[in-house]
Structure formats: structure tokens, C-alpha cells
Amino acid sequence: MTREVGRSPDRERLELALQIAGLGEFEWDLSRDVLIISDRLSAITGLPAGEIPAEGGAAFDRFIHPDDREALAAEQKQHLQDGDSYEGRYRMIRPDDGRVQWMRTAAKIVRDEAGQAIRVCGVIEDVSRSRREEDQRMQLMAELDHRVKNVLAAVQALAQQTAKRTTSLDAFLQTFGGRLKAMASANELLTAARWRGAAIDHLAAAELGAIAPGQTSWEGPELFLTPRAANALSLALHELATNAVKYGALSVETGHVNLRWNARPGGGFELTWTESGGPVVASPARRGFGSTLLEQVTGRELNGDTQVDYRPAGVAVRLRAGPQAMADRPEVMPEAPVARVTETVPTSRGPASLKGARVLIVEDAVLLALELETGLSEAGAEVIGPAYELEEAMALLDQPIDAAVLDANLNGHSVTPVAEVLHQRRIPFVFATGYGETGGAPGGFEAPVIRKPYDVTQVAAAVAELLGNR
């Protein structure tokens, strides 16, 4: 950097700092009523550089956005009367190209011995980018709040409808838990795509990929659904799969389910679910919530209709959706799930027994930790913990432990340090996580993964299986 003649090092450092900070300086000489605009400020605001008539401040105020002008003028007047500095944020309309920018002014008021303001010196910064980012954050928070409330309302309605149509607590927990996992699966895919949409084949893989290997197949073009339609289709596929496992083609080893879909000429899509090779089918004696969901809720959410045909050779379903259900291909595409995640599920051998087993629980959500503690204790385990923080968990590792249930993330901290100690001591553990890692267990550990929301019986069964394999 070559120093200009007559320019002091301090002045050079000041100008360099202003340049780096993106600030433009000004001076308002009240005694002469002139504004002195620097070249930097001219570039930032579009105002002419040099000395211009201040017109009592009107020369600058006329470029302030009309919605901000009155408040800014009143604040400025108040500071000139009795203040020594002021700072303000406002919108400015550039005089050169008409663009609206968010600006921040910070100024110091210089007074004479009588206390009269004689000069205002300050800097102005273009904060349009940070303002846009703040607006986006606020919009995202509002959207998140809206979605959370919608999800809670949907879960509440799902629980109420399921409860009205089940005759026992065990049946309710099993049915409701399955439907909740279907919602969670769709939500995971939507989150990975930044809530821009979800592909039908991803929804099919998430729901069918983990059940009856070799007995399910799906095929169709790459089509994307809106978040609302994706949730509806995920629930529909879950209901169909559940019924097929209980009563239909997937209840026997010879059965098969084929899922196909195609785009409709006028927009939307048509999907067919065909079961074959299973028991002889008859129309159900009563209509449950699953039938209502398929024929009414799903049809309306997809702006189409659903037809269920109980053929003796197997259930056949045709679902048609309108163009309102479709979405453009998201910019960020999640990987197609192969089989949800490696999950350990309860087997048909009856309730898991953990009698005498010392099981460490590491979970930062209090209600989930209490539920795990109750469930594992009922299975006969001696619960160690629960530990809600990483430090708590590390402190409990000195105790005798036979197995552990680990939440992958503890209030923003990875549970990996705990897992590493357990791995070194050859103590088996299960991950219970809300993260949608399709590549296996967090941290690359060879451990079962159970995704939230889960049934505590899944966790007990997974722990029992680990202890049985030792």
C-alpha cells in the first residue's frame, strides 16, 4: 500500500478499517447546513459525493422510505435536542436507481460550550443482506411453528380416531405406533428435501422396504408430491401394508404386493396396489379407521379418489390424485431409503426378558427417558441412569453395565464418547435416535438403530437380542 503525500498513518488505518467494515462516513455541519458525503458513502447510498445543501436534514430525509420517514425524523429531532449520539435502522430509496436498501446509521452529535448541536458525524452501513436473513429466519420460525402445530393436531386426531376403533390398550399402542412411524418417515423425507416435496418411490421404499423382503415390489416414474400429499400417501401405504401383513398377501410366505404408479395426462398420478398369492380375501365385516383413511381422508388430501376392491385373489386398490398433489423436483434430493434404517423390532416370541440385566439409559428427553426406564424395568432390567447429559453419562460408565440404550444427540453433543468407551469394553448398545441416517448406525458403530418415534418394546427386544448373542 503506497502512502499518499500528507496522509497520516492514523488516517490511512481509519480509512482502511471503514473500507473493510463496509461503512461510509458523513458529516452534517449544522452551522452551515451542509452535508459532506464521502466517496464510500456515495457508493453505498447513491447520494452524490462531496458537499451538498442539507436543507435542515430534508436533503437526506426525502430518500427515506415513506413508511420509515416520520419515525426516523422524530427520533433524529429528539437526539439533536438532548442526545449525544444515536443509531437507527431504516429503509432508503437510492436516488440513482430506485432500489430499496436497509441502512444502519450510527452518529455522534458535537455540541458547543452552550450545549447547542453544531455538527453530526457518523457512518452508514448497508444492512440489507442481514435484514433479509433476519426476515427469512422469522419466516422460517413462523413456518416451523405452523408445521409443528399441524403435526401435533394430526397426531392428536390420529390418536383419537385410533382409540375409537381399538378394543384394547395393546392394540391401540401397536396400531397408533405404526401410523406415527409412517408420519415420521414421510416427515424425514420432506425434511431432507427442505420441505419442497417427496418422491413416490422414496415413500414406497420407506414403507415397504423393511417388511417381507422379496415379497414387495414397486415401480413408476420419478414423481414428486407436496408435503401434504406425501404425508397422506405415506399413511395410506402404511395402512395397506399393515393389513397385508395381518390378513393379506404378506401374512404368508407365498404372497406378494406390487405397487405401480403413473402420471395422469391432465396432471396428478394414478397408483395401484395389487396383492396376490395370499389367503382368499373377503370384504371386512366392519369398517375401521384404516378404511376411512384410505377412502375419504387420503382421497381428499390428494384431491382425487380411492377405490378398494376385495377380490378373492387379493386386495386391489386404485388411488388417483389430482394435479394439486404434485410438486416440482426439489433442488436438494435425499437418498432413496433402502429399508428405513437398520431397526430391531419385537419378534413373535413374546415379551423380551431382561431379568437381572444392568442397562444404561442415555436420553436427553425427560419423557422418553422415563418411558424407557419404565419399559426396561418392567422387562426385568436394573436401570442405570437415566443420564440426560453427556457428562452424566460419562460419569456412570464406572458402574457395572451389561448393555446400554443411547440417544445419538444429547442437547447438541454427540454421544460418540460414550459409545467409544462401551465399544472398548465390549458392552453392547442400541442407538435410539430421531436422526434419519440411512447409512447405518451413527459414528459407524456396528449397533442396532431404532428410530424415533418407537415402541419401548422394540428397545427391550433389541437389548435382549444383544445380550442373547453375547
Side-chain angles (χ1 to χ4, degrees):
M1 179 177 177
T2 302
R3 181 181 301 170
E4 296 182 18
V5 177
R7 179 171 292 186
S8 69
D10 288 343
R11 179 62 184 176
E12 287 183 359
R13 283 194 291 270
L14 174 61
E15 292 195 357
L16 183 60
L18 289 172
Q19 181 179 353
I20 293 173
L23 301 174
E25 69 272 29
F26 72 92
E27 180 179 336
W28 179 8
D29 188 332
L30 294 168
S31 60
R32 295 193 298 132
D33 194 28
V34 295
L35 276 173
I36 304 171
I37 308 294
S38 72
D39 291 337
R40 272 184 291 273
L41 185 59
S42 177
I44 291 172
T45 64
L47 293 170
E51 191 174 285
I52 62 174
E55 303 175 37
F60 184 76
D61 292 347
R62 68 167 55 99
F63 301 113
I64 303 300
H65 192 282
D67 292 344
D68 300 337
R69 190 176 299 156
E70 184 177 347
L72 185 65
E75 186 177 356
Q76 184 183 73
K77 181 179 179 180
Q78 182 64 40
H79 284 296
L80 285 174
Q81 288 177 352
D82 53 22
D84 58 359
S85 63
Y86 69 88
E87 180 178 338
R89 292 175 184 260
Y90 51 88
R91 285 165 292 180
M92 177 183 178
I93 303 174
R94 288 180 63 108
D96 53 353
D97 57 18
R99 285 188 295 126
V100 177
Q101 296 172 285
W102 273 98
M103 315 300 285
R104 182 183 72 88
T105 294
K108 181 75 175 178
I109 301 171
V110 181
R111 300 183 181 276
D112 58 18
E113 294 180 356
Q116 184 69 29
I118 58 174
R119 195 165 70 250
V120 178
C121 301
V123 291
I124 294 179
E125 177 187 9
D126 181 357
V127 293
S128 301
R129 180 176 178 179
S130 61
R131 181 72 187 204
R132 285 194 300 270
E133 291 173 349
E134 179 63 23
D135 289 343
Q136 289 173 353
R137 281 193 292 270
M138 295 300 294
Q139 292 173 1
L140 288 172
M141 290 299 295
E143 180 64 19
L144 178 62
D145 180 63
H146 171 72
R147 287 177 181 169
V148 168
K149 288 177 180 176
N150 276 349
V151 169
L152 291 175
V155 169
Q156 183 182 45
L158 204 61
Q160 291 173 342
Q161 291 296 325
T162 304
K164 289 177 181 178
R165 290 169 170 83
T166 50
T167 57
S168 69
L169 178 59
D170 288 342
F172 167 80
L173 292 174
Q174 182 178 6
T175 304
F176 177 67
R179 288 168 177 163
L180 203 58
K181 285 187 76 69
M183 288 182 63
S185 179
N187 184 81
E188 181 181 306
L189 291 171
L190 291 168
T191 300
R194 298 180 182 174
W195 277 81
R196 296 293 187 269
I200 295 180
D201 62 323
H202 288 190
L203 295 170
E207 190 56 50
L208 300 179
I211 62 173
Q215 292 183 253
T216 58
S217 59
W218 53 92
E219 182 182 1
E222 187 179 68
L223 298 178
F224 297 90
L225 308 184
T226 65
R228 178 176 176 177
N231 274 308
L233 183 59
S234 182
L235 278 174
L237 294 177
H238 172 73
E239 294 301 320
L240 291 170
T242 299
N243 288 334
V245 170
K246 287 182 177 180
Y247 317 111
L250 301 183
S251 66
V252 296
E253 295 181 358
T254 57
H256 188 83
V257 168
N258 180 259
L259 185 67
R260 291 179 180 271
W261 62 89
N262 284 290
R264 298 175 66 187
F269 68 92
E270 180 170 303
L271 178 146
T272 58
W273 169 287
T274 307
E275 297 183 27
S276 60
V280 176
V281 174
S283 298
R286 67 179 185 87
R287 290 173 56 82
F289 176 60
S291 298
T292 302
L293 188 148
L294 279 172
E295 296 179 11
Q296 294 187 28
V297 178
T298 302
R300 291 179 182 179
E301 292 290 285
L302 294 172
N303 298 104
D305 60 82
T306 306
Q307 296 179 0
V308 182
D309 188 0
Y310 296 97
R311 302 172 183 172
V315 172
V317 179
R318 185 182 69 177
L319 187 152
R320 290 183 296 190
Q324 301 92 330
M326 310 307 294
D328 295 330
R329 192 180 198 276
E331 295 179 1
V332 179
M333 276 294 297
E335 295 182 4
V338 178
R340 289 184 178 262
V341 165
T342 306
E343 288 194 338
T344 304
V345 297
T347 65
S348 59
R349 293 176 293 179
S353 175
L354 298 174
K355 187 175 181 180
R358 293 160 297 190
V359 181
L360 169 66
I361 296 177
V362 181
E363 169 62 62
D364 62 0
V366 176
L367 290 178
L368 279 179
L370 292 175
E371 180 70 8
L372 280 171
E373 184 176 10
T374 300
L376 297 182
S377 295
E378 290 177 348
E382 176 187 336
V383 172
I384 299 173
Y388 302 101
E389 303 283 349
L390 182 61
E391 293 77 9
E392 290 182 78
M394 296 297 291
L396 292 174
L397 292 177
D398 292 334
Q399 300 186 32
I401 299 172
D402 296 314
V405 179
L406 308 179
D407 184 4
N409 184 287
L410 299 172
N411 294 313
H413 299 283
S414 172
V415 79
T416 297
V418 179
E420 288 176 345
V421 173
L422 294 173
H423 177 70
Q424 292 170 1
R425 298 179 183 176
R426 299 183 182 276
I427 299 173
F429 51 89
V430 175
F431 284 108
T433 176
Y435 289 91
E437 294 138 312
T438 56
F445 292 98
E446 292 185 5
V449 177
I450 301 177
R451 290 194 313 172
K452 300 173 182 177
Y454 52 69
D455 187 327
V456 176
T457 58
Q458 288 180 277
V459 181
V463 174
E465 185 172 341
L466 287 175
L467 294 175
N469 293 333
R470 294 185 68 179

